[in-house]
Amino acid sequence: TDITSNYQAKFFFRVTNVEGTLKLNKKRKASPGDDNVKMTIELESAIGLEEGTEFSIKKDDKVIAGGFVTKVY
């Protein structure tokens, strides 16, 4: 599954799930789900996060990507 900037999906952090939007850096318009990329994720709800937290991205109840939190704003 290709991931594009402004992609809306469900993000799972440990046992918490929250909807959000991810944004790729300006140089990338799309990325395959198996590629390593840096992205910014804007969550619709505030949750407790810390750097190093593992997460997965789901679309239609299927895991399409995953990663680790590297910075919290």
Side-chain angles (χ1 to χ4, degrees), residues 13-14 47-55 67-73:
F13 301 89
R14 296 187 194 119
I47 62 171
L49 282 177
E50 52 189 40
E51 293 176 7
T53 302
E54 189 173 0
F55 68 91
F68 294 90
V69 174
T70 58
K71 191 166 188 172
V72 178
Y73 297 96

Side-chain angles (χ1 to χ4, degrees), residues 5-68:
S5 201
N6 296 313
Y7 191 84
Q8 294 184 330
K10 289 184 181 178
F11 298 87
F12 290 82
F13 301 89
R14 296 187 194 119
V15 297
T16 303
N17 63 327
V18 62
E19 292 187 12
T21 303
L22 71 82
K23 297 179 191 277
L24 299 174
N25 69 32
K26 294 178 182 179
K27 295 179 184 178
R28 294 189 84 121
K29 293 187 179 196
S31 175
D34 62 350
D35 200 6
N36 291 321
V37 297
K38 287 186 179 182
M39 65 182 79
T40 300
I41 300 173
E42 186 174 322
L43 301 175
E44 291 183 7
S45 301
I47 62 171
L49 282 177
E50 52 189 40
E51 293 176 7
T53 302
E54 189 173 0
F55 68 91
S56 60
I57 303 172
K58 284 190 174 185
K59 187 72 171 182
D60 299 324
D61 294 325
K62 181 179 175 183
V63 175
I64 59 168
F68 294 90

